[in-house]
Amino acid sequence: MRSMFFPLKGPNSPHLGRFAYCSFRYSLEDEPSNLDEMPLMMSEEGFENDESDYQTLPRARVNQRQSGLAWFLLGGWKVLCGSCCDCLAHICRRKKELKARTVWLGCPEKCEEKYPKNAIKNQKYNIITFVPGVLYQQFKFFLNLYFLVVACSQFVPSLKIGYLYTYWAPLGFVLAVTMVREAVDEVRRYQRDKEMNSQLYSKLTVRGKIQVKSSDIQVGDLIIVEKLLCFVVFFPGSCFIRTDQLDGETDWKLKVAVGCTQRLPAVGDLFSISAYVYAQKPQLDIHSFEGNFTREDTDPQIHESLSIENTLWASTVVASVNHRNIFGLLDLELNRLTKALFLAQVVLSVVMVALQGFVGPWFRNLFRFVVLFSYIIPISLRVNLDMGKSAYGWMITKDENIPGTVVRTSTIPEELGRLVYLLTDKTGTLTQNEMIFKRLHLGTVSYGTDTMDEIQSHIVQSYAQATSQPSSGSATGATPSRKTQASGPKVRKSVSSRIHEAVKAIALCHNVTPVYESHAGVNGETESAEADQDFSDDNRTYQASSPDEVALVRWTESVGLTLVNRDLTSLQLKTPSGQILSFYILQIFPFTSESKRMGIIVREESTGDITFYMKGADVAMASIVQYNDWLEEECGNMAREGLRTLVVAKKCLSEEQYQDFENRYNQAKLSIHDRTLKVAAVVESLEREMELLCLTGVEDQLQADVRPTLELLRNAGIKIWMLTGDKLETATCIAKSSHLVSRNQDIHVFRPVSNRGEAHLELNAFRRKHDCALVISGDSLEVCLRYYEHEFVELACQCPAVVCCRCSPTQKAQIVRLLQQHTANRTCAIGDGGNDVSMIQAADCGIGIEGKEGKQASLAADFSITQFKHIGRLLMVHGRNSYKRSAALGQFVMHRGMIISTMQLHNSITLMQASTVFDHITFSFVASPLFISHFFLFFFYLVCSYATIYTMFPVFSLVLDQDVKPEMALLYPELYKDLTKGRSLSFKTFLIWVLISVYQGGILMYGALVLFESEFVHVVAISFTALILTELLMVALTIRTWHWLMVVAEFFSLGCYLASLAFLNEYFDLSFITTWPFLWKVSTITLVSCLPLYIIKYLKRKFSPPSYSKLSS
């Protein structure tokens, strides 16, 4: 086959560029100005009278008019700063204007414009930007920036209060851990990208065929798509391709090559001609294309128009994406809490300076106190959280219940436990896009999957009779004579005859092409191979633009009537006895979204009978077929079963009728003005009083366990939106069959709107509906978002489920951003194709499925799974555990820092209250050694060891804790609703931990001072030992489910502390810590600090238990 297509490679290609650069296009028609004074009804009072639709002003528009100082202080400054930054970024990175381009055939060097490389790049940084980028991402958080400032202050002699390593070593360790983690993630992304970019493809050159990497393909190259050439297709210069990476549809679409190149003797002659392709500038509409093919070396020049049928969408072309830096909601909440801690730290420092009377260089003393209390904000917080996230990712990857799951972004596992909206693709995500014929209804009798053998026996019997009666030809039981037809309505047909007519109509009325693998080779032998083609079932596959049609043709094959051959003008069917029936294709009327039906006019070769067959949706066919009393009811029954219905009808035409129609049809097609309307009018003249043959029901196979998974997510309080590029009817059917829309819920289909007035009225009509699912098309969505963005989102968010059909990739991402802006809730997007990448990357949490549509979505997502059903365990179990554990870990690490800072504060106040010490400090405050000796309770070594060796392992073991067993979390998904409220980490829980820290710090400090005897070192020994024991007991108090590693961590840390006492002669009096008074004093202080908390926890769980505690018991 010498068919040659011209796919223009790269993100700026004429067709793929429409995907890479697409943005919302809004029509520019002027609407009536009076609509500004007629806002939508957004309150219940407005519904009392239909004429008062425009009386109530939306709350959003009133709120948007707020300005002034209050607006500026309550967040307006953020808006202004963001606008300024966006303006600067737009100036620095001004996008190149999109314009039409000319691409020379096989000569990339002639292209005037430079296009991006055809390479996949999911990396965040490069060698130059890695270190600055990571440092920026770390220090833009207040926590790390604070410690950087404190560490840098120690280079100033007058501000120095300790050794440099005590500040720079922890900060350096934090940055080192972060950089190592980012480097590992970058290397993995680089390896995945390199694997994809290194795939070899055949490139046609002057010297012949060569192998090139996909990243080296340039605009204008001629690429031989081997996968398409291995099939023999009966249309000269044509083939079938898939557009799954653009619109998510995995069905096959017919593409026709340029006619000029088809007349060349050999493929190599392409380089002997001078030709170019002129393509329109990138557009949003991926279903249309305008261009011209021009050959210059002929006289006159050859010009051919190009349309969408001439473009080859190559799945190997992937636009580069800007990988976003993601930070979870938990990180932002902890960042706010650290700011509150810093404010408290400054207040305490001011109080300490005020107690001195603001004498001397008090501003320098203020900064010293800030540094002294810097342990209130623990630097180990980031390290523990990052290590915890890595542990959560490892647990997800190793979970045997969700095999094949990959964590590609290790910074947001807690987001899985905070999701409110789940936006999902349809094809390949919820469905397998594999259609199975389920039901055939003839009006009086219905056949299901268990009775298909009866249909097969009727077909075999009908064609056996036709073979035994050659005089009647194939008309016996096939096509009745015209006399019989005229009296047909008066004579009741037999069931066998009706089955035969229905199956024959289904086998003829379609756009399916049988394809056979060619064993003759690729180069020049297909013509001879086509002549003796093997029609065996094992060698045949079907290709069509709709999987529904393939399912219907496969079903007719299973019952005995097989489509064996088809070209542009004829098709052949094989009967059960092996006889070949030939039909001439006179006219084809393809399916469109407007007509919702397709038709074909065929002439049977043996009899010459002309028949018009038509099939379509019930809403379109109900007014076309003859009167009946069963079609509407049976369509409803099949729809409730989740089946996609098609009504099949026929009409026999005489030669005169067809000739008259053909003349009028050809005349209409030559019209310059209103061609589409005139052609439709001529076709509609045939669509009258057609004979209803049957009603078919086809089921789109759902992914495994989709229904229980969607029910699980709904019960968990997650609102599910389905965004698909498929047709409205298909999307609605899948929403029903997958139980995305429950059986007792109404569905509101948003009528098509094209201007502001229509959108206004339709939104008001939708506003009156309650508890119903919304189904809306992409075009109507675009109009609504242009004029009534806030109102539409507010109404849609109230729906239990939303289905958006005919959505472009840009619209999917737009919907995600709208939910983020208008609801402030966490969103998750899941998909499996390249058209879902923009949606996945726009969401707070992106999940990709490795499926039939490739790995683009999986590589660009934060989490990769193999089946949709795995998302239930990923959210209910791992999302819950990750959030709960990180919340507990973060607050406990802050508690660990606050308790030692509280002890330091009590010690400083106590020393200041002593008059002799106070006087000494007043005159000698500037001397750094005196400052340290008087106000530091613990030496730096003890403080560092406290946060690392002595308490690190028990505290970090909280990443193994769980409040609910996995089985219980899946059995009661309602528990997930509490997580979305953020109660595990809030200002309330933070204040509780602050009070606990103040109480325990005071008990430990004043208890040691009360039991103070002779030397200060005894106070340090008693308080520090009690502090270590208190922390170990508090970890045990916090744990809800014990793990054996937790027990090991507790005893290991206690053993390390006891063993280190033998080497801490400089800090502890060994003769004192081995005595009985030391033991009972430490035990008393520890008991007083922890026992009340245990009692309070017991009483709280007894009288006000959390929701999960009842299930755990």
Side-chain angles (χ1 to χ4, degrees), residues 499-719:
I499 291 177
H500 177 231
E501 290 184 359
V503 174
K504 182 179 178 182
I506 296 173
L508 291 173
C509 187
H510 54 71
N511 266 316
V512 181
T513 301
V515 177
Y516 301 88
E517 287 195 24
S518 174
H519 303 289
V522 179
N523 299 322
E525 300 182 21
T526 53
E527 290 86 351
S528 60
E530 184 178 337
D532 55 347
Q533 190 62 254
D534 178 18
F535 290 149
S536 63
D537 296 340
D538 298 336
N539 195 40
R540 185 191 308 111
T541 58
Y542 295 110
Q543 292 180 354
S545 60
S546 172
D548 301 67
E549 291 195 323
V550 174
L552 293 174
V553 173
R554 283 178 178 167
W555 175 76
T556 61
E557 178 184 0
S558 67
V559 297
L561 197 56
T562 306
L563 175 67
V564 294
N565 192 8
R566 178 173 185 153
D567 55 30
L568 292 175
T569 59
S570 64
L571 57 82
Q572 287 79 38
L573 303 179
K574 184 172 69 173
T575 65
S577 61
Q579 180 187 2
I580 301 298
L581 305 178
S582 297
F583 297 85
Y584 297 111
I585 301 176
L586 303 181
Q587 300 289 344
I588 293 182
F589 315 111
F591 180 92
T592 63
S593 299
E594 293 76 20
S595 65
K596 296 184 175 58
R597 57 188 181 270
M598 71 87 58
I600 186 172
I601 300 178
V602 297
R603 184 198 301 270
E604 190 168 358
E605 184 182 30
S606 59
T607 64
D609 292 340
I610 301 176
T611 309
F612 174 34
Y613 293 102
M614 176 166 284
K615 67 180 180 183
D618 58 304
V619 292
M621 299 290 292
S623 59
I624 295 176
V625 299
Q626 297 172 352
Y627 173 77
N628 60 87
D629 57 357
W630 60 270
L631 181 60
E632 182 178 359
E633 180 182 357
E634 293 303 327
C635 285
N637 294 336
M638 290 190 184
R640 280 186 286 273
E641 296 179 21
L643 300 180
R644 301 163 70 160
T645 58
L646 283 175
V647 180
V648 182
K650 80 166 187 177
K651 185 176 185 179
C652 294
L653 303 176
S654 64
E655 189 69 33
E656 294 77 13
Q657 288 177 321
Y658 174 72
Q659 290 299 331
D660 176 64
F661 165 79
E662 186 180 29
N663 294 333
R664 291 186 290 115
Y665 187 69
N666 292 334
Q667 185 177 2
K669 287 197 298 182
L670 295 176
S671 301
I672 298 177
H673 303 290
D674 299 328
R675 178 186 300 177
T676 304
L677 295 177
K678 292 180 180 179
V679 169
V682 174
V683 175
E684 287 178 1
S685 65
L686 280 185
E687 300 171 347
R688 297 173 183 172
E689 293 296 313
M690 298 190 69
E691 180 185 354
L692 176 60
L693 298 180
C694 63
L695 175 67
T696 64
V698 177
E699 181 184 40
D700 190 352
Q701 287 289 91
L702 298 175
Q703 295 283 357
D705 296 332
V706 163
R707 293 189 182 99
T709 301
L710 291 178
E711 184 179 1
L712 178 79
L713 297 175
R714 256 199 321 270
N715 293 336
I718 299 177
K719 295 184 178 181

Side-chain angles (χ1 to χ4, degrees), residues 65-107:
R65 296 175 184 174
Q66 293 181 357
S67 59
L69 181 61
W71 172 83
F72 182 81
L73 295 176
L74 292 176
W77 64 274
K78 291 185 179 180
V79 177
L80 293 177
C81 292
S83 301
C84 294
C85 293
D86 293 340
C87 182
L88 291 175
H90 177 72
I91 294 175
C92 298
R93 298 182 298 172
R94 187 169 296 170
K95 288 186 177 181
K96 184 168 54 177
E97 182 183 359
L98 302 179
K99 56 184 179 181
R101 70 283 314 270
T102 300
V103 180
W104 289 87
L105 185 64
C107 300

